[in-house]
RNA sequence: GCCCCUUUAGCUCAUUGGUAGAGCGCUCCCUUGGUAAGGGCGAGGUACCGGGUCCGAUUCCCGGAAGGGGCUCCA
């Protein structure tokens, strides 16, 4: 096996069958993309699976005559390089590029069908320059902005995190409990695109996993309701609340503002409750995100001893501050309707506040402790009495609008994307802070703002950007007034890098612009994207956002970047994720050494549907190897010459061949690669039989079959296939041999077995032509001996005929 | 708590409103001049359980069980 690998690698290097940028290439195009890897160490089992799957698709479309762009690059910015620098004093640049070289050489041996002419790394200044360029365009459009806010803070990584990077209150990267910190940070206004991110999912219906679409939908969390203004006694400005249930306005018995909002501090100032509030706020600030997420914990709050006025009935209701209301959702203040909202009810019961039912829907919540959210006739609600929910909402919105105290509103769970990071190994934010001019963009012709060398910088996480230590780099002149100014010292979230890399592949060397729109038009959108489900929200949502922004800038003519998405499963061992600490790590390099590249690829692809997890304990690379050897041996048995006319060959074997070629193509196109391989295995078995005990090795049908096997295998086991192709007397590459044409005549069966049933039970089988008429079939079936016997002379009530496969006789 | 998916041979999975299949594994036989291998034969199924529709349900519908996944103070 090793010998075969060594034989063909140099040949493929020479012939470069997967180069997609030849100027005279007039094949139609396809774009197959694997999510690019992060260069931490060498490739592992997960990579091996993902790239084997992507390769099947890419190689298949090449066989079908397409010019396939199947690029690779490296997602090379990020914390591991920095951590290696901190722990072992390595230079992040060297560490990163060495790992890339290592992975690249492993990919070559793994025979990935990448177009090596298109490689780039996101840490190349030639690439991140365009991150900065896009940032500046967004800044000009008001889509990139800085604001002071309570942000997610990971005390371990010592950096801020985007909402998407907080999973269940923990840092996505290191599982540390996330806290809040008030900081001024850069954001991208993804919320402006919330509706389009939602609506455009229609384009992806059926082409992306249902699960991913659902997760994105939940994440965006569009909610429709109304904003209602409440006057506050002793304050000029009214306070607006957001509610999805304006119809329950008459049931509002108190009012709550988020304790950590500016509004709360403002309202508390000067009240007798101020001291109590300040103490409470201190406590709230120290809570971790994890604490806050525990919905079952007791409600807490402070009575601000103020009153809000219900705009519809003039009722005075008490104003409280609590941490169960979020400062950054809606307006940071709510009207509390305890009868019909569980959280409000819990709060009311804790503090002895009144509960008033306004929708008749079951038991009294004040007694049961369970708020009712169902529809029902409204009561205690003045003009809404008797109406159901939908009508009551319409009515109350009309009333509020008339009085100018409210209007319909939409809110999203999605927050703007926080992109500043207080870390070294990322794209510098191209902004200069000038004491006179404020935030000044670095002019385009001064891009890229290069990362200063790590040498001499303190990269240890300490809560402020390491770039601040690069004194010469930080101090600069203001591009606007020329006065002394300071560079922004934060770097961009690395998800910015991956939000547009798929566009750069179409034009990777361009140093005039991020990409030539013409080239992008030729290749994009991506026809098939392959990657892990871990990116269901983060990377995929951000990429969709970038695509829409660039579309609005006139740079793209499509609005969704990835036409079809495949989320491959994980490779696990004995039912759980592989890890060194668990002691169940299977090393890819070991497996490759024992079984060879082809057997490992085949094992991964054949293990099951690609989206399912693979338990390495359940699969058999040795079995894969055995199958490949069995297929390979066929190529030595063929005795007819290349070009032998198959039409004179054995018809039964030819049928098996054409059926297999047809079925496996259908399977590949619907991403059921394991099925495609099963079909190839069946053909290998049929061919073996034909050679040993059928038409014999000289029959041209045998050559046709074996050549078909070689081409089918070429998409998953390239070394074996290439060697077979060579033994069959052909020049390389089998990868470009072309998928065999299917003769439809050979797919038609000459006769089929028809089942003859009595009352649904099979009593006989008869062989009939597939084109048999219903009448003819009925007649023949009724004469079948098994049927006559089963009927035992009973009469017949009905005969159901489903030509040509079945006849069912219902006896009287 | 809410929502979604899955359940077919020992294992991993195909398939189908009408005969339930493949690979691996297993049994046995042949080969011993392809041999740390090769060829062949075979066993193995109440298609999770219970109801319904239908001439006929593993498939469609309803309910339940088991396993997996997602969301969860977002007003």
């Amino acid at each position: 096996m090793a010998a075969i690998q060594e034989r063909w690698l140099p040949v493929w290097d020479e012939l470069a069958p997967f180069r997609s940028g030849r100027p005279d290439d007039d094949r139609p195009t396809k774009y197959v993309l694997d999510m690019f890897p992060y260069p931490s160490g060498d490739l592992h089992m997960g990579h091996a699976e993902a790239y084997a799957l992507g390769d099947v698709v890419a190689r298949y479309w090449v066989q079908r005559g397409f010019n396939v762009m199947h690029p690779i690059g490296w997602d090379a910015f990020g914390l591991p390089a920095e951590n290696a620098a901190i722990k072992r004093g390595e230079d992040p640049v060297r560490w990163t590029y060495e790992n890339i070289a290592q992975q690249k050489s492993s990919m070559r041996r793994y025979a990935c069908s990448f177009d090596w002419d298109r490689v780039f790394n996101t840490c190349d200044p030639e690439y991140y320059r365009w991150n900065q360029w896009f940032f500046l365009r967004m800044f000009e459009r008001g889509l990139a902005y800085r604001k002071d806010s309570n942000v997610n803070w990971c005390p371990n990584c010592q950096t801020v995190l985007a909402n998407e990077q907080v999973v269940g209150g923990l840092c996505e990267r290191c599982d540390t409990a996330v806290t809040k910190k008030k900081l001024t940070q850069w954001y991208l206004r993804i919320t402006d695109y919330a509706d389009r991110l939602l609506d455009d999912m229609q384009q992806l219906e059926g082409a992306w996993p249902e699960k991913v679409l659902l997760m994105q939908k939940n994440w965006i969390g569009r909610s429709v309701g109304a904003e209602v203004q409440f006057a506050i006694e002793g304050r000029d400005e009214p306070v607006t609340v957001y509610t999805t249930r304006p119809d329950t306005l008459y049931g509002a018995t108190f009012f709550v503002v988020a304790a950590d909002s500016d509004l709360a501090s403002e309202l508390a100032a000067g009240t007798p409750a101020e001291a109590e509030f300040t103490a409470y706020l201190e406590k709230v600030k120290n809570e971790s995100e994890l604490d806050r997420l525990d919905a079952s914990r007791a409600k807490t709050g402070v009575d601000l001893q103020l009153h809000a006025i219900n705009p519809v009935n003039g009722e005075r209701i008490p104003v409280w501050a609590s941490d169960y209301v979020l400062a950054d959702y809606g307006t940071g203040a709510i009207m509390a309707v305890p009868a019909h909202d569980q959280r409000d009810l819990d709060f009311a019961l804790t503090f002895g506040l009144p509960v008033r039912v306004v929708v008749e829907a079951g038991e009294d919540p004040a007694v049961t402790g369970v708020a009712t959210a169902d529809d029902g006739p409204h009561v205690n609600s003045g003009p809404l009495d008797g109406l159901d929910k939908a009508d009551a909402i319409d009515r109350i919105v009309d009333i509020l609008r008339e009085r100018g105290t409210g209007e319909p509103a939409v809110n999203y769970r999605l927050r703007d994307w926080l992109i500043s990071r207080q870390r070294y190994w990322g794209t510098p934010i191209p902004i200069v802070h000038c004491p006179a001019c404020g935030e000044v963009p670095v002019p385009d012709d001064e891009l890229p703002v290069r990362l200063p060398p790590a040498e001499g910088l303190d990269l240890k996480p300490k809560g402020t950007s390491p770039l601040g230590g690069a004194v010469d780099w930080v101090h600069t002149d203001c591009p606007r007034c020329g006065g002394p100014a300071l560079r922004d010292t934060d770097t961009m979230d690395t998800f910015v890098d991956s939000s547009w890399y798929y566009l750069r592949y179409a034009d990777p060397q361009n140093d005039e612009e991020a990409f030539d729109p013409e080239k992008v038009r030729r290749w994009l959108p991506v026809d098939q994207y392959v990657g892990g489900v871990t990116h269901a929200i983060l990377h995929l949502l951000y990429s969709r956002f970038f695509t829409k922004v660039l579309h609005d800038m006139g740079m793209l003519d499509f609005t969704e970047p990835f036409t079809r998405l495949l989320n491959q499963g994980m490779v696990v061992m004995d039912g759980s994720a592989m890890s060194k600490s668990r002691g169940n790590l299977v090393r890819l390099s070991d497996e490759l050494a024992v079984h060879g590249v082809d057997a490992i690829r085949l094992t991964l692809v054949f293990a099951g549907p690609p989206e399912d997890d693979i338990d390495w304990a359940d699969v058999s690379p040795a079995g894969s190897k055995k199958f490949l050897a069995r297929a390979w041996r066929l190529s030595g048995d063929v005795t007819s010459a290349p070009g032998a006319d198959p039409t004179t060959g054995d018809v039964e074997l030819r049928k098996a061949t054409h059926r297999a070629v047809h079925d496996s193509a259908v399977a590949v196109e619907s991403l059921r690669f394991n099925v495609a391989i099963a079909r190839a295995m069946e053909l290998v078995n049929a061919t073996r039989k034909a050679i040993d005990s059928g038409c014999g090795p000289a029959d041209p049908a045998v050559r046709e079959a074996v050549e078909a096997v070689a081409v089918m295998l070429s998409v998953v086991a390239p070394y074996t296939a290439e060697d077979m192709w060579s033994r069959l007397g052909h020049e390389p590459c089998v990868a470009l041999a072309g998928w065999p044409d299917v003769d439809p005549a050979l797919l038609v069966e000459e006769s089929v077995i028809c089942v003859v049933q009595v009352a649904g039970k099979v009593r006989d089988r008869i062989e009939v032509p597939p084109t048999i008429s219903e009448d003819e079939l009925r007649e023949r079936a009724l004469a079948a001996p098994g049927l006559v016997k089963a009927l035992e002379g009973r009469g017949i009530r009905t005969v159901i005929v489903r030509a040509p496969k079945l006849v069912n006789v219902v006896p009287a």
Side-chain angles (χ1 to χ4, degrees), chain A residues 53-64:
Chain A
L53 295 172
D55 236 41
V56 173
V57 180
R59 287 170 174 272
Y60 172 78
W61 288 115
V62 169
Q63 293 288 23
R64 293 315 295 240

Side-chain angles (χ1 to χ4, degrees), chain A residues 401-444:
Chain A
R401 215 175 347 210
E402 246 167 60
R403 301 190 187 173
T405 52
E407 58 189 0
V410 173
N411 255 297
Y412 302 91
R413 190 179 172 279
L414 181 71
R415 306 292 203 277
D416 276 341
W417 175 13
L418 198 176
I419 60 155
S420 344
R421 294 293 179 274
Q422 288 72 48
R423 299 302 299 251
Y424 169 75
W425 192 231
T427 306
I429 290 176
I431 292 287
V432 169
H433 299 279
C434 170
C437 312
E439 295 163 355
V440 181
V442 173
D444 286 355

Side-chain angles (χ1 to χ4, degrees), chain A residues 135 138-139 142-152 160-164 180-191 328 415-421 429 439 490 496 545:
Chain A
F135 176 90
M138 291 197 199
F139 182 72
L143 290 173
Y145 67 99
R146 221 153 72 116
K147 77 172 172 191
D148 184 41
S149 169
N150 273 318
V151 299
N152 299 304
V160 299
L161 299 171
N163 248 22
E164 289 78 7
K180 291 282 182 180
K181 200 163 176 175
K182 192 126 181 163
L183 284 173
T184 304
Q185 299 284 305
W186 286 99
Y187 292 81
L188 297 185
R189 216 179 283 279
I190 191 171
T191 52
D328 59 350
R415 306 292 203 277
D416 276 341
W417 175 13
L418 198 176
I419 60 155
S420 344
R421 294 293 179 274
I429 290 176
E439 295 163 355
D490 284 349
V496 172
F545 163 62

Side-chain angles (χ1 to χ4, degrees), chain A residues 276-347:
Chain A
E276 194 191 345
F277 170 77
T278 310
Y280 179 65
L281 179 59
E282 249 347 276
K283 212 182 79 199
V284 168
K285 273 185 175 165
N286 290 327
E287 282 169 351
S288 72
E289 188 65 9
L290 204 58
D291 299 330
R292 203 190 59 77
L293 280 176
D294 179 11
S296 63
R297 86 195 159 119
K299 292 276 184 286
T300 58
V302 175
D303 183 351
L304 295 183
Q305 303 184 32
L306 292 167
H307 287 88
I309 310 297
N310 188 324
V312 286
N313 58 10
E315 198 172 351
R316 292 176 78 233
I317 56 177
V319 177
W320 287 66
S322 172
D323 65 352
Y324 89 91
V325 173
L326 305 178
D328 59 350
Y329 182 78
T331 61
I334 61 154
M335 63 176 204
V337 183
H340 307 298
D341 182 289
Q342 192 59 48
R343 297 153 300 184
D344 296 345
L345 182 60
D346 293 343
F347 193 85

Side-chain angles (χ1 to χ4, degrees), chain A residues 404-541:
Chain A
T405 52
E407 58 189 0
V410 173
N411 255 297
Y412 302 91
R413 190 179 172 279
L414 181 71
R415 306 292 203 277
D416 276 341
W417 175 13
L418 198 176
I419 60 155
S420 344
R421 294 293 179 274
Q422 288 72 48
R423 299 302 299 251
Y424 169 75
W425 192 231
T427 306
I429 290 176
I431 292 287
V432 169
H433 299 279
C434 170
C437 312
E439 295 163 355
V440 181
V442 173
D444 286 355
D445 59 11
E446 288 176 25
L447 299 183
V449 176
R450 284 174 185 267
L451 209 49
E455 208 184 341
L457 292 186
D458 178 14
L459 300 187
K460 275 201 277 306
K462 54 194 176 299
T464 56
S465 295
L467 292 185
V471 179
D472 291 346
W473 181 87
V474 170
H475 288 274
T476 185
D477 299 332
C478 170
R480 192 162 296 160
C481 70
L486 301 174
R487 290 193 187 279
D488 199 295
T489 55
D490 284 349
T491 50
M492 294 184 201
D493 182 0
T494 55
F495 279 105
V496 172
D497 310 347
S498 52
S499 290
W500 68 280
Y501 78 106
Y502 47 90
L503 302 168
R504 181 73 178 173
Y505 282 132
D507 192 11
Q509 318 291 349
N510 199 329
D511 57 3
E512 298 292 318
E513 48 190 346
F515 52 82
D516 173 1
E518 207 43 55
K519 289 188 177 165
V520 164
R521 214 185 322 273
R522 170 147 186 253
W523 288 106
L524 277 275
V526 175
D527 293 292
Q528 179 67 60
Y529 199 24
V530 179
V533 74
T534 46
H535 295 104
I537 295 175
L538 291 152
H539 160 59
L540 292 170
L541 190 70

Side-chain angles (χ1 to χ4, degrees), chain A residues 636-654:
Chain A
D637 290 347
V638 174
T639 55
S640 59
D645 177 12
T647 57
T648 62
D650 180 78
V651 176
E652 282 316 305
L653 180 58
R654 296 203 71 212

